[in-house]
Amino acid sequence: MSEFIHTFLPGRVVFGPGTLDQVAAEAELLGVRRVLLIATNSARDAADVVEAELNDRFAGRIDGVTQHVPTEVATAARAKAQETSTDGLVAIGGGSAIGLAKAVALTSGLPIVAVPTTYAGSEMTPVWGETAGGSKTTGTDLKVLPRTVVYDPVLSQHLPKKVTAASVANAMAHCVEAIWTPKADPITETTAVEGVRALAAGLRQVLQARTDLDARSNLLYGACLGGSALATAGTGLHHKLCHLLGGTYNLPHAETHAAVLPQVTRIKAPAVPQAKARLEDALQTDDLATGLFDLFTEAGIPTNLKDLGLTQEQAREAARAFDADEILTRAWAGTRPEGVTR
């Protein structure tokens, strides 16, 4: 085994059905006296529960968030935190809710308790993003890493299959890209392999029984591992392309991963054959890129950017910006990657 350096990030994970009821206590453990709640519209009921349990430590609430964290939305949330004398944040929802909490934490240093209801994995990373003028800026700062993550599979139990599948594609991208970045190491690789195994199994279960709690638990577990792998290994070409497409053309973040990941994998994965083979075993496929494409297709999510609203000229424009003509041409059309026998 070659030499490597791996940094374990600080954090606490509380996992299991019904753990939503522990969110207020987790905030108290962090010494938070006044909590600002940030929740997606789909998480309103869960936010109501947490608000009631916070009692006099509830400082205010932001309902409804926007993907890609527009600067004007981030600015308003930061102002709300100051106005309410908030000293801690609870974010309930998908990556957009957690992303908005991160935008507040970036400038204030406030601790975050994250309660994910999808499989975006943002809750496990110190990565933040903000969009202004059609351009998305991302960065890494430990101030935005949630201090505690509460995973309650009940909260995602009734997610529609298409929303579930798109979110799983996002989590898969965290795992897969973690094998070829410059900071990838044997620990991130093992984490990514287990993440793909859990995500693939969970998605296949959900396609058969949407509300199966074991399947939903598998998916949250896989998302946790995917986020952990990305947090240490960092991002590469795939995520750069997805951030460009999302920030510039306002494409839906999760679905964009499903269209782009198989095409980037086709190009990048052969450079790391051992890791590629391990992920193929976890995915139960003979070729990683083709296996991802087929799984996403089976799950009913678009595997082409054209169906997400991107024009062919926009795809060419994006390809020129990142010198990724072949990748984005194939991703726009939804060309199935050629199978490769290992």
Side-chain angles (χ1 to χ4, degrees):
M1 183 176 293
S2 59
E3 294 182 0
F4 68 91
I5 296 174
H6 181 90
T7 301
F8 287 96
L9 298 180
R12 172 179 169 89
V13 168
V14 179
F15 194 107
T19 49
L20 180 69
D21 289 339
Q22 299 179 38
V23 172
E26 290 297 324
E28 188 174 7
L29 279 176
L30 294 175
V32 176
R33 297 179 302 279
R34 291 184 59 77
V35 171
L36 176 63
L37 266 176
I38 298 174
T40 55
N41 285 326
S42 60
R44 281 178 183 267
D45 290 346
D48 288 343
V49 170
V50 173
E51 179 180 333
E53 292 182 349
L54 284 169
N55 202 352
D56 58 2
R57 284 181 291 122
F58 173 74
R61 181 163 161 179
I62 298 172
D63 279 310
V65 295
T66 306
Q67 69 171 354
H68 305 305
V69 193
T71 291
E72 60 272 19
V73 175
T75 300
R78 289 163 182 151
K80 176 86 168 179
Q82 287 185 322
E83 290 164 7
T84 55
S85 300
T86 294
D87 65 348
L89 307 164
V90 170
I92 308 177
S96 296
I98 294 166
L100 185 56
K102 286 182 172 185
V104 176
L106 182 65
T107 58
S108 65
L110 296 178
I112 301 171
V113 176
V115 188
T117 60
T118 66
Y119 312 112
S122 174
E123 67 278 355
M124 296 301 295
T125 81
V127 178
W128 58 270
E130 193 168 319
T131 301
S135 178
K136 187 169 185 176
T137 301
T138 61
T140 301
D141 194 313
L142 282 176
K143 283 189 295 189
V144 310
L145 179 69
R147 298 275 294 278
T148 303
V149 182
V150 176
Y151 287 106
D152 186 343
V154 174
L155 300 183
S156 62
Q157 195 171 13
H158 295 281
L159 273 182
K161 287 183 181 179
K162 285 191 176 181
V163 176
T164 297
S167 190
V168 169
N170 190 351
M172 281 280 193
H174 294 166
C175 296
V176 174
E177 185 149 71
I179 69 171
W180 63 61
T181 66
K183 293 193 292 184
D185 64 48
I187 296 174
T188 58
E189 180 183 314
T190 297
T191 304
V193 169
E194 175 64 5
V196 165
R197 184 205 63 75
L199 290 166
L203 181 55
R204 288 173 178 133
Q205 288 173 287
V206 163
L207 293 178
Q208 299 300 316
R210 182 169 69 95
T211 61
D212 185 89
L213 202 55
D214 287 339
R216 295 294 178 177
S217 296
N218 247 341
L219 290 176
L220 278 181
Y221 170 58
C224 174
L225 293 174
S228 299
L230 175 136
T232 302
T235 58
L237 175 63
H238 170 76
H239 278 82
K240 288 176 182 176
L241 288 173
C242 289
H243 286 308
L244 169 72
L245 293 167
T248 305
Y249 306 108
N250 198 36
L251 297 187
H253 183 69
E255 288 84 349
T256 300
H257 282 290
V260 175
L261 183 63
Q263 309 304 338
V264 177
T265 300
R266 172 178 170 269
I267 299 296
K268 301 290 287 185
V272 283
Q274 176 181 308
K276 176 176 178 287
R278 293 183 70 191
L279 287 186
E280 286 164 348
D281 287 340
L283 194 60
Q284 299 179 353
T285 183
D286 289 331
D287 176 64
L288 184 57
T290 307
L292 290 167
F293 184 94
D294 290 347
L295 179 63
F296 299 156
T297 300
E298 179 190 351
I301 49 175
T303 48
N304 67 80
L305 296 172
K306 134 176 99 169
D307 282 357
L308 302 183
L310 192 75
T311 68
Q312 193 166 20
E313 180 51 39
Q314 288 171 331
R316 290 177 181 143
E317 180 181 73
R320 289 192 295 269
F322 270 95
D323 192 24
D325 183 63
E326 182 183 9
I327 289 171
L328 288 183
T329 297
R330 296 174 67 90
W332 182 81
T335 305
R336 186 173 183 264
E338 297 91 345
V340 178
T341 302
R342 71 169 194 266

